[in-house]
Amino acid sequence: MLEANDENIAWPAPGLWPRRAAKEYIPPHAVLLFGATGDLAKRKLLPGLARLSESSLAPELRVIGTSLDELDDGAFREFARAAVEEFGSDKVDGEQLSRFLEKLRYVSGSGGPQALRQAVADAEAALGEDARRLHYLSVPPRAAVPVIETLKAAGLVDRARVIMEKPFGSDLESAIELNARVHQTFRESQIFRIDHFLGKEPAQNILAFRFANGLFEPIWNRNFIHHVQIDIPETLGLENRVGFYESTGAYRDMVVTHLMQVLAFIAIEPPTALEPRAIGEEKNKVFRSLMPIDPRNVVRGQYDGYRDEEGVSRHSDTETFIALACTLDNWRWAGVPFYLRTGKRLAEGQRIVSIAFREAPKSMFPPNSGVGTKGPDHLTFDLADASRLSLSFYGKRPGPGMRLEKLSMQFATSDTDEVEDVLEAYERLILDTLRGDHTLFTTAEGIESLWERSIPLLEDPPSVKPYAPGSWGPNAIHQLIAPNAWRLPFERVWRGSH
């Protein structure tokens, strides 16, 4: 059940899918966007708010942008127009964009809490007496607490929810302190710690695939699954994020905040219902069962030339690449390794989850049949926007004799009639926040559990190993996963991706 947050609203039961129930009511919202002139706002948040504002899914919105830049309403609207035109979907036409821009206001951070309070009051007057507030903190982690304190000083805590960007803390101590500081102002039910990976359609499809299909749920355990890979290589470099990245690194930036969240979707026990509290409880059980990260099962890398980047220490030990093996200490997954990999300046940009099934006995097949030569059968989820999945298996090659080869069945969201209903990840998560749906967000307990299990690695990290830009990382990654092999790079491309 959803909590009403002392707002005297009977919130409807949430669902996982984009279509809004016919009678579902979402109150109008004043959206206060901190960091409104930043890169994330330009690329994702303003285009996403534009689409939601003009869709039938979201309620009436008014958006107040704020940052350290000195702009007026007109300049901010032009900034938003350029952002939507460059990065938005083609589902927002010119007329819709003009309507959205009319709903924007800008308040410089130099105006202080009173200016924010007045801007929100003006927006709420236009929206009506049942208006609610959504505060989006698109700011660096170090600025989160000052923003929260500003909201408290402005009297903007009641009837509000707050979205906080990752990373949430940098270790257990800082995460506990940050949770405590935020809880001084907002209740846990008001806080939405965002991970945009979980807003992606294919990530949610993992839950549907697992729990709606009697073909797969009975074999989703240690008896049938040999190992799991979560592989998120990136071709991009630092992209003007040197100051953030040098003090953060790949583990804090990607593994705790993204890859471990995907791992939880793969590993959770069936929840009692597809609703926030039940799914959150099962995710937290996964995090509690995660064994401490052993530095001996970790490969840290740094691409050649990183230390030459402006703002990077010439003796930097920050990892731009990380691969690790971890395990869960519970009945379903005992003995099954989970291999995680991510990094910058790698050969390809991919986002996959690959489930490797245990191989069947091969003794009945004649020598040179080809069975077993291509590795185990895999179920692979592509978490990129294309939203594809593939099941590979051995089949007989046509012709005389018993010659086998790897075949595959593939599916893509683009194959369905509902492809137009797909929401971009940030659009989906903002909509869920407006609805009060915590299903795809992380709890304080969950994030603290992950930092606790990270202590061995953070206290004694292995030295970084160099790797060439455009490669797949240091050579040590092959020893990490042996005798298994990384699924990426694929031997065969996805069908339809030429």
Side-chain angles (χ1 to χ4, degrees):
M1 296 295 292
L2 281 169
E3 297 184 43
N5 298 341
D6 298 330
E7 298 174 12
N8 299 317
I9 292 178
W11 293 97
L16 281 178
W17 317 117
R19 294 180 183 274
R20 195 204 300 177
K23 296 183 179 180
E24 180 180 351
Y25 173 70
I26 307 176
H29 275 72
V31 179
L32 186 49
L33 177 57
F34 290 86
T37 58
D39 189 65
L40 178 61
K42 178 173 68 175
R43 292 175 176 271
K44 295 294 184 181
L45 304 183
L46 288 169
L49 286 167
R51 184 185 175 196
L52 286 176
S53 178
E54 295 304 313
S55 76
S56 61
L57 297 172
E60 180 68 16
L61 302 176
R62 292 289 188 278
V63 180
I64 302 109
T66 182
S67 74
L68 298 179
D69 294 321
E70 295 290 339
L71 302 177
D72 58 19
D73 290 350
F76 180 55
R77 286 168 179 160
E78 285 307 309
F79 175 85
R81 178 190 297 277
V84 175
E85 289 177 346
E86 182 176 0
F87 298 106
S89 71
D90 56 7
K91 298 170 185 175
V92 178
D93 60 31
E95 182 179 345
Q96 292 172 324
L97 176 55
S98 295
R99 285 199 301 266
F100 171 68
L101 295 176
E102 292 174 0
K103 302 174 184 178
L104 302 186
R105 280 199 58 190
Y106 185 82
V107 177
S108 172
S110 62
Q114 185 57 40
L116 292 176
R117 180 178 179 84
Q118 185 59 53
V120 172
D122 293 343
E124 290 176 336
L127 292 169
E129 62 182 14
D130 62 342
R132 300 295 180 262
R133 302 159 181 166
L134 171 60
H135 308 312
Y136 198 120
L137 275 60
S138 178
V139 298
R142 65 181 180 277
V145 170
V147 169
I148 294 294
E149 292 173 346
T150 297
L151 290 171
K152 184 176 182 180
L156 297 175
V157 176
D158 293 338
R159 297 179 286 113
R161 299 187 177 104
V162 56
I163 295 178
M164 302 191 69
E165 276 288 341
K166 58 90 177 174
F168 199 88
S170 58
D171 54 23
L172 178 59
E173 182 179 0
S174 63
I176 291 174
E177 179 182 2
L178 180 54
N179 277 321
R181 295 287 296 275
V182 175
H183 285 154
Q184 290 174 2
T185 301
F186 290 97
R187 296 181 299 279
E188 179 66 17
S189 60
Q190 294 176 280
I191 303 166
F192 291 74
R193 299 169 188 82
I194 197 167
D195 170 19
H196 71 271
F197 271 49
L198 296 190
K200 292 179 176 295
E201 201 73 35
Q204 298 164 53
N205 199 35
I206 293 173
L207 294 181
F209 194 90
R210 277 198 60 187
F211 299 127
N213 293 294
L215 177 63
F216 287 98
E217 176 53 28
I219 63 173
W220 209 265
N221 57 57
R222 58 186 170 83
N223 296 320
F224 298 93
I225 292 177
H226 186 267
H227 67 272
V228 177
Q229 294 182 35
I230 303 174
D231 207 353
I232 316 290
E234 298 180 288
T235 57
L236 295 175
L238 301 185
E239 307 297 313
N240 301 317
R241 300 173 71 220
V242 172
F244 164 78
Y245 207 87
E246 174 68 356
S247 61
T248 305
Y251 183 79
R252 290 179 171 92
D253 183 41
M254 289 291 293
V255 176
V256 174
T257 53
H258 292 324
L259 276 68
M260 288 295 185
Q261 305 301 324
V262 175
L263 183 152
F265 268 25
I266 294 293
I268 63 172
E269 295 296 321
T272 54
L274 286 179
E275 57 92 17
R277 189 184 301 277
I279 292 178
E281 287 175 351
E282 297 303 334
K283 285 176 60 181
N284 287 340
K285 289 178 184 177
V286 172
F287 297 146
R288 288 195 296 269
S289 70
L290 179 67
M291 297 297 290
I293 307 299
D294 189 338
R296 294 172 297 180
N297 296 327
V298 177
V299 176
R300 296 170 69 240
Q302 187 183 91
Y303 65 77
D304 294 333
Y306 173 76
R307 294 177 184 177
D308 297 328
E309 302 267 7
E310 184 177 353
V312 173
S313 167
R314 294 298 176 263
H315 306 286
S316 174
D317 191 52
T318 298
E319 79 278 0
T320 62
F321 170 95
I322 192 160
L324 62 90
C326 60
T327 57
L328 300 176
D329 186 20
N330 61 29
W331 184 92
R332 182 182 292 265
W333 296 108
V336 177
F338 287 75
Y339 299 106
L340 282 56
R341 176 173 66 170
T342 187
K344 300 290 187 182
R345 303 287 299 274
L346 296 176
E348 295 179 23
Q350 296 272 2
R351 297 172 179 178
I352 71 160
V353 174
S354 192
I355 314 295
F357 292 97
R358 295 191 181 277
E359 295 195 67
K362 307 295 192 301
S363 57
M364 65 175 284
F365 292 95
N368 301 318
S369 66
V371 68
T373 59
K374 299 294 185 179
D377 299 337
H378 285 87
L379 174 65
T380 302
F381 296 88
D382 181 1
L383 302 186
D385 292 336
S387 185
R388 298 172 292 201
L389 64 86
S390 171
L391 178 63
S392 68
F393 53 91
Y394 282 102
K396 182 183 178 301
R397 181 184 300 175
M402 181 57 73
R403 293 285 297 168
L404 286 85
E405 61 183 358
K406 274 288 185 180
L407 307 174
S408 69
M409 295 187 293
Q410 297 187 12
F411 162 81
T413 299
S414 58
D415 297 334
T416 71
D417 295 333
E418 289 79 29
V419 65
E420 293 299 318
D421 286 349
V422 174
L423 292 176
E424 195 275 334
Y426 280 98
E427 295 170 357
R428 173 57 192 264
L429 293 170
I430 291 172
L431 179 61
D432 281 358
T433 306
L434 295 172
R435 302 175 66 236
D437 186 344
H438 276 88
T439 301
L440 302 177
F441 296 85
T442 305
T443 65
E445 177 188 347
I447 198 68
E448 289 175 12
S449 291
L450 289 174
W451 284 124
E452 183 178 8
R453 280 136 188 86
S454 302
I455 288 175
L457 174 61
L458 298 180
E459 290 186 344
D460 185 26
S463 299
V464 294
K465 300 178 182 296
Y467 65 94
S471 70
W472 287 97
N475 287 333
I477 61 172
H478 302 296
Q479 286 75 49
L480 174 70
I481 201 172
N484 306 306
W486 294 100
R487 284 283 281 159
L488 291 175
F490 286 133
E491 291 185 8
R492 296 172 297 175
V493 299
W494 291 93
R495 285 199 290 270
S497 62
H498 293 285

